[in-house]
């Protein structure tokens, strides 16, 4: 018999297999270490990239404090939970009985103990660590509440029930409630862990006589129960304050039943919980459980009776029979504090006895309003901007443009403005094209809001490539758009001084096929001029080209996170950002202006609103939707600007009296500038924010009523009308920016406006008459740097008599659609498969009544067509005007002379001239359409008089006009697109510039 190398009778090959396993072990360990290092480096690279981004912007303080707070919250919650669970398990294990009676059950437990013993220490440490990790992760999300608690600022006003400062509800109560809830979780989880450990090791066991509990286990569980009850007592006490936030009643806040029944019983339950906790401690010492068991039973019964049955009895048999008398005080609280929380307290209500009679010269007193009535609809004319001003396939305009105002020749004019951004879809494919060569858009395009060219095209005041116009005539304009709402994911820019430029800048002129080139010269993003940073961003964007490309040099920067809203959200994570960032030319730079809100859902007695629902209307798809979160307090606390060239973000403390903003200023003292540092040019373009206005109008539909009796009856509630120009009747009409002189104002101001109709139930039909009209003074400029208008944000609410039938927007639209003159004329405009597009329906309180104005656009069927303004519809009372210009349409309904001074009065009688069309044919078409409209009107009048001879003569004229219009349309189509739309710009060819836009 032979011996193997490892001893006698060894199995052949065993040593070899063992050797392989031993040799394999270091490899596996190495692979694990490498994997951990790779994962760690990837995580580190993401953190490091964020550090570079925030540091470049100058907001590293935000990143550091937010993440340090998150880490501290995690560690604190982790340590408390892990320590509580570990201590409970350890105490139960250490105090286990050494000698337990023998039984079949004990034999089973002994087997479990034997099986667990090899991993007992691991479990005793691992379980607390895992549970603590979950607790810490959950606690991290409360970082904002923690910072607000430690940096809270008083409001200086108190609630009407407990006389606590509002700050207690917004800043203190949420954090204390979180702490109590967290500690209750610790006690419950630690108690369960201790209970299971006692059972496993015999401290608690089932016997024939009943349940055996050892003295250490009894003391342990008694302490756990006492701690739970004490924390529950604190919870009951805090619930008293939570009643002021309750939404369970008809109105928000503590109502009669809460004040008279719920609040006192919560106090009783808090005291009772402390008493029962003391009984548990005493029972653990004396060994008698009867008293705490009885006390617990009584506490449960008391909670059921006092906390549920008694309030129900009070509500059912005391409140409901006399609800108005008993709830009147609490309804008033809800009204007052809701209006305060949403900034509605100072709303000026103006009785407006609107007339429906259109008298000659009635608009003479409203010259400030009528001269700026906006005819250019920013939601329709995007295609016109694209066809006339895009010039290249790698440019684009947004679908919804913005409304602003600029001072031109001493007069402020409403303006429709858009940024010519880079169209990523139009960039040739390839990494170099997408990230090195095509990096930015070029220039703003702006058109007058109150007038158009004679042929219906926008009247541009800033246009062309290079950009020319009244907005940039001082010569200091920087037109390049590196940061916008449609910028590429990232671009690599910058080069050493003297290097040849490589970035595609723009066409040399609007009609040129040659492109000029440029090099970014600002500080717009982190450096990728070294290998380590290139590796970090190659991992972040999963792009090996960032490591290998020879287009990256020592001076290269990487631009990313380029959306203005996204940049503001990152540097100010405590803000809710308005859905619409808008561009403006300010001090020679294109700046995006972004509104930021401080919000809360903890304001006492204030009615909650769901942000996304309150701010959704027919134009929401063109902007970013607000989050689905409940709020009952909102302030436009911050105005932010984002430079379109270098992406720099500046935050201005706009509402510096807001205590929530003051708290955040204490947290991040170096990030917010006072609004006194805003330039006069910037203040001139700050406007009242849309989303806040939408939230306010939702509340004012009901809370314009301040009398609790009327509020209770809901006999004067209003609704925001649905958008009559869209096909979806459930979508609300958006508010509109207009230059408007409200009754009582000395002059017209840039305003944000919305109408109201009677309250509409979910299943009810809308009675579409006008009950109210709200305007917010949207102009912050005073002409002085750092001084905002004292009237900025002033809410004025016109309240119309409910016994008059002033048409609402829906009725006005129906009147337009059903009017025979209008419908016949629109049918003529649809000749040749042209599409008629109704623009926004504007509501204007002028002429001692309500005027509706709607531009009508016509777009031919060609692929490169765009809408042009061809007609204007107006309505006042029962009268309808329909003409090529607003001036003519107003004269039709106001006795031949409205007295208005309109922006398009210079177009009356003008002959449209459109490149690419037969001017004679277009002139004939316009004349024929006017003749047809006149013939229809004359025919209707003749029928009303019973003059059939005159009616026959009018019909003959109508037939002749239709024949001439059809012939003119056919002649135009044989020579070019109807409506004068030029051919679509292609790569290397561009549409003709308008208003001197070709530049030089």
């Amino acid at each position: 018999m032979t011996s193997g190398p490892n001893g006698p009778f060894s199995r052949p090959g065993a040593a070899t297999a063992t050797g392989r396993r031993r040799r394999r072990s270091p490899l596996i360990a190495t692979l694990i270490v490498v994997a951990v290092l790779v994962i760690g480096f990837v995580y580190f690279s993401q953190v490091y990239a964020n550090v570079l981004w925030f540091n470049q912007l100058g907001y590293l303080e935000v990143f550091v404090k937010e993440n340090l707070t998150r880490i501290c919250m995690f560690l604190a919650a982790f340590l408390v939970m892990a320590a509580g669970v570990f201590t409970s398990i350890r105490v139960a294990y250490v105090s286990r009985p050494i000698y337990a009676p023998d039984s079949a059950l004990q034999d089973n437990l002994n087997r479990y103990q034997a099986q667990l013993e090899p991993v007992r220490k691991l479990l005793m440490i691992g379980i607390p660590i895992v549970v603590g990790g979950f607790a810490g992760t959950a606690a991290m999300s409360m970082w904002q509440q923690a910072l607000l608690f430690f940096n809270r600022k008083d409001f200086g006003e108190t609630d009407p029930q407990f006389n606590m400062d509002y700050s207690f509800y917004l800043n203190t109560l949420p954090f204390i409630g979180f702490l109590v809830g967290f500690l209750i979780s610790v006690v419950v989880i630690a108690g369960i862990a201790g209970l299971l450990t006692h059972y496993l090791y015999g401290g608690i066991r089932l016997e024939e006589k009943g349940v055996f509990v050892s003295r250490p286990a009894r003391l342990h569980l008694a302490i756990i129960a006492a701690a739970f009850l004490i924390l529950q007592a604190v919870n009951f006490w805090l619930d008293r304050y939570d009643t002021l936030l309750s939404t369970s009643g008809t109105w928000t806040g503590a109502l009669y039943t809460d004040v008279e029944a719920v609040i006192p019983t919560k106090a009783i339950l808090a005291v009772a919980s402390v008493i029962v906790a003391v009984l548990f401690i005493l029972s653990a010492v004396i060994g008698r459980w009867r008293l705490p068991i009885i006390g617990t039973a009584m506490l449960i019964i008391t909670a059921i009776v006092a906390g549920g049955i008694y309030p129900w009895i009070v509500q059912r048999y005391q409140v409901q029979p006399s609800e108005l008398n008993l709830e009147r005080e609490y309804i008033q609280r809800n009204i007052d504090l809701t209006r305060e929380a949403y900034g509605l307290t100072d709303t000026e209500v103006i009785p407006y006895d609107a007339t429906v009679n259109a008298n000659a010269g009635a608009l003479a007193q409203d010259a400030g309003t009528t001269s700026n009535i906006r005819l250019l609809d920013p939601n329709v004319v995007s295609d016109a901007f694209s066809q006339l001003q895009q010039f290249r396939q790698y440019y684009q305009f947004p679908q919804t443009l913005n409304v602003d105002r600029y001072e031109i020749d001493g007069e402020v004019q409403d303006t429709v403005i858009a940024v010519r951004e880079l169209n990523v879809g139009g960039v040739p494919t390839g990494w170099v094209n997408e990230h090195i060569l095509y990096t930015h858009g070029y220039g703003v395009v702006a058109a007058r809001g109150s007038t158009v060219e004679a042929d219906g095209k926008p009247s541009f005041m800033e246009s062309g490539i290079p950009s020319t116009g009244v907005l940039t005539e001082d010569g200091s304009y920087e037109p390049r758009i590196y940061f916008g709402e449609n910028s590429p994911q990232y671009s690599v820019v910058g080069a050493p001084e003297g290097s040849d430029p490589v970035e595609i800048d723009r066409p040399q002129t609007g009609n040129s096929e040659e492109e000029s080139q440029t090099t970014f010269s600002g500080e717009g993003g982190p450096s990728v001029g070294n290998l380590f940073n290139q590796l970090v961003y190659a991992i972040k964007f999963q792009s090996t080209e960032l490591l290998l490309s020879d287009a990256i040099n020592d001076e290269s920067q990487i631009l990313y996170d380029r959306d203005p809203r996204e940049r503001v959200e990152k540097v100010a994570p405590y803000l809710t950002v308005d859905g619409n960032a808008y561009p403006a030319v300010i001090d020679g730079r294109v700046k995006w202006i972004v509104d930021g809100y401080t919000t809360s859902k903890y304001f006492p007695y204030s009615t909650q609103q769901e942000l996304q629902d309150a701010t959704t209307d027919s134009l929401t798809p063109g902007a970013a939707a607000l989050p689905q979160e409940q709020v009952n307090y909102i302030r436009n606390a911050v105005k932010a600007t984002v430079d379109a060239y270098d992406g720099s973000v500046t935050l201005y403390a706009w509402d510096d009296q807001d205590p929530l903003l003051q708290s955040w200023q204490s947290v991040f003292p170096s990030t917010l500038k006072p609004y006194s540092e805003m330039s006069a040019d910037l203040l001139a373009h700050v406007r009242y924010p849309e989303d806040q206005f939408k939230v306010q109008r939702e509340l004012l539909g009901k809370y314009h009523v301040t009398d609790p009796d009327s509020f209770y009856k809901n006999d004067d509630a209003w609704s925001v009308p649905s958008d009559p120009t869209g096909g979806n009747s459930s979508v609300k009409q958006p508010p509109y920016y207009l230059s408007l002189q409200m009754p009582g104002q000395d002059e017209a101001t840039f305003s944000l406006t919305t109408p109201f109709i009677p309250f509409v139930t979910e299943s009810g039909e809308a009675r579409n008459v006008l009950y109210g009209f709200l305007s917010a003074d949207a102009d912050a400029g005073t002409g002085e740097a750092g001084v905002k208008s004292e009237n900025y944000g002033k809410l004025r609410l016109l309240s119309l008599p409910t016994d008059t039938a002033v048409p609402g927007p829906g009725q006005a639209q129906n009147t337009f659609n059903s009017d025979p003159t209008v419908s016949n004329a629109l049918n003529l405009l649809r000749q040749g498969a042209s599409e008629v597009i109704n623009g926004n329906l504007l509501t204007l309180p002028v002429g001692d009544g309500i005027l509706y104005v709607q531009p009508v656009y016509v777009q031919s069927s060609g692929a490169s067509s765009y809408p042009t303004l061809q007609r204007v519809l107006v309505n006042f009372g029962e009268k309808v005007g329909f003409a090529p210009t607003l001036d003519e349409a107003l004269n039709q309904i106001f006795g031949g002379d409205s007295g208005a001074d309109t922006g398009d009065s210079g177009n009356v009688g003008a002959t449209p001239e459109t490149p690419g069309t037969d001017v004679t044919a277009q002139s004939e078409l316009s004349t024929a359409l006017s003749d047809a409209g006149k013939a229809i009107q004359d025919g209707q009048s003749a029928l009303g008089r019973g003059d059939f001879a005159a009616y026959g003569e009018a019909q003959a004229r109508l037939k002749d006009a239709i024949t001439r219009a059809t012939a003119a349309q056919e002649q135009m189509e044989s020579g070019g697109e109807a409506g004068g739309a030029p051919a679509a710009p292609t790569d290397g060819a561009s549409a003709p510039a308008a208003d001197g836009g070709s530049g030089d």
Side-chain angles (χ1 to χ4, degrees), residues 166 251-253 331-345 603-609 632-635 696 699-700 702-703 711:
Y166 297 151
W251 306 277
T252 300
I331 294 173
Q332 189 66 62
R333 292 180 180 182
N334 173 248
I335 294 172
D336 294 342
L337 294 190
T338 297
R339 289 171 62 90
E340 183 169 348
Y342 289 95
L344 305 175
T345 304
F603 199 89
Y605 276 104
S606 177
T607 297
Q608 289 191 355
Q609 289 283 290
N632 66 4
Y633 173 90
I634 187 170
R635 289 291 184 272
Q696 289 175 319
L699 268 298
L700 272 177
K702 187 174 183 180
Y703 285 88
F711 190 88

Side-chain angles (χ1 to χ4, degrees), residues 218 279-280 282-293:
R218 186 167 63 245
L279 292 178
F280 267 100
L282 291 176
S283 69
V285 176
I286 64 177
R288 297 179 181 274
W289 289 88
R290 180 172 297 178
L291 286 177
I293 291 174

Side-chain angles (χ1 to χ4, degrees), residues 34-89:
V34 170
V36 170
L37 289 176
V38 169
I39 294 172
F41 183 77
V42 170
Y43 177 77
F44 165 78
S45 68
Q46 302 306 305
V47 175
Y48 182 65
N50 277 325
V51 169
L52 292 176
W53 189 90
F54 278 92
N55 186 56
Q56 187 276 325
L57 267 180
Y59 289 89
L60 185 59
E61 175 189 17
V62 174
F63 180 77
V64 171
K65 283 195 175 181
E66 176 183 343
N67 285 279
L68 282 179
T69 305
R70 287 178 177 270
I71 291 170
C72 290
M73 295 286 288
F74 176 88
L75 291 176
F78 172 82
L79 291 174
V80 172
M81 178 64 81
V85 174
F86 176 80
T87 302
S88 186
I89 295 174

